[in-house]
Amino acid sequence: MTHTEQQHFSEHLVATYRHLEAIGLMELATGNVSCRVEGGMLISCSGATAQNLTPDRVVFVHEDGTWAGDIKPSSEWRMHSAVYKNSDKANAVIHAHSAYCVAMACNNMPLPGFHYMVGMFGGSDVPCVPYSTFGTEELAENAGNALQDRAACLLGNHGMICRGANFDTAIKNAELLEILCKHYVLARQLGEPDLLTDEQWDEFFGRAKKVAYSKFI
Ligand SMILES: [Zn+2]
């Protein structure tokens, strides 16, 4: 990766972080953003906020988990790294504590197939992996495995993580998951929402292929 490339990706990463904050998905600077680059990944620094994150505070973490310099990567770098190792579709990863995702995750509830848009993440639900302490290898492994065949998952008693083919797709997935969790919470207030049947899912995925919904996944 040339210096110019690193600068370009770092600027885009900062813009993504600020956009997530602007749309309310990065409250209290609790999330982090990364992208895949040659030889490793770029990730927001430890202690990043929308105000203090600048391109020179984006950290290059090598594939072997090492980095140079005094600025530390986000404590969740292992989780981001595991997603890139597990899915070649991942070029950008967002981790956030967005409100409705946290509400679901704190009940350790997967998001069930109550709405066809849930299928945009690659299956008939969005899983919720069990709680592990932040920054641990265990959390990284669980999230990495969940994101092999889904574009997002909930993290028990914690938040969410999603991937995308680029920054924009990852932002869309983070927004979509938050909105769907909100819809589900609202629907649950009225009763027990009906879930789509297996037959309805088969039909959805058949149609989704034709209209290229799979670009999200
Ligand atoms: Zn977190």
Side-chain angles (χ1 to χ4, degrees):
M1 182 177 50
T2 65
H3 180 72
T4 314
E5 281 168 343
Q6 182 163 350
Q7 185 67 19
H8 168 78
F9 284 120
S10 296
E11 282 170 10
H12 206 156
L13 191 151
V14 171
T16 299
Y17 191 102
R18 290 190 178 148
H19 179 71
L20 290 166
E21 207 255 355
I23 62 175
L25 298 187
M26 216 41 123
E27 286 172 322
L28 300 174
T30 42
N32 24 78
V33 177
S34 71
C35 68
R36 188 200 293 274
V37 291
E38 199 185 329
M41 66 176 173
L42 294 170
I43 186 164
S44 47
C45 64
S46 176
T49 67
Q51 289 73 37
N52 74 19
L53 185 64
T54 49
D56 60 348
R57 291 172 60 78
V58 170
V59 184
F60 175 50
V61 178
H62 295 86
E63 262 159 19
D64 65 4
T66 59
W67 63 89
D70 298 334
I71 301 174
K72 285 185 188 161
S74 156
S75 58
E76 293 292 16
W77 67 266
R78 286 184 186 83
M79 187 162 67
H80 289 251
S81 178
V83 175
Y84 296 121
K85 281 181 187 146
N86 278 281
S87 171
D88 56 12
K89 291 178 180 171
N91 289 316
V93 171
I94 292 169
H95 163 55
H97 299 185
S98 50
Y100 285 90
C101 289
V102 168
M104 295 285 296
C106 291
N107 283 286
N108 282 279
M109 290 168 85
L111 181 66
F114 76 110
H115 190 289
Y116 75 92
M117 294 289 276
V118 171
M120 301 286 273
F121 295 100
S124 61
D125 67 355
V126 174
C128 181
V129 303
Y131 175 79
S132 310
T133 308
F134 77 96
T136 57
E137 195 55 54
E138 191 183 8
L139 179 61
E141 200 179 315
N142 287 337
N145 287 339
L147 265 59
Q148 265 180 347
D149 59 358
R150 292 287 196 284
C153 75
L154 296 168
L155 307 168
N157 301 92
H158 186 159
M160 61 75 76
I161 185 165
C162 71
R163 59 173 166 81
N166 52 47
F167 284 119
D168 289 347
T169 315
I171 290 171
K172 283 195 180 81
N173 281 335
E175 266 191 288
L176 180 61
L177 186 59
E178 177 67 3
I179 289 166
L180 286 170
C181 286
K182 181 178 176 178
H183 291 170
Y184 184 66
V185 168
L186 289 171
R188 281 288 295 258
Q189 289 175 12
L190 298 175
E192 191 61 48
D194 291 328
L195 305 184
L196 272 69
T197 62
D198 289 347
E199 196 184 1
Q200 287 168 332
W201 278 119
D202 286 347
E203 211 176 316
F204 168 84
F205 285 113
R207 186 164 288 267
K209 271 188 201 133
K210 288 183 203 147
V211 296
Y213 270 7
S214 55
K215 67 177 187 271
F216 275 79
I217 308 157

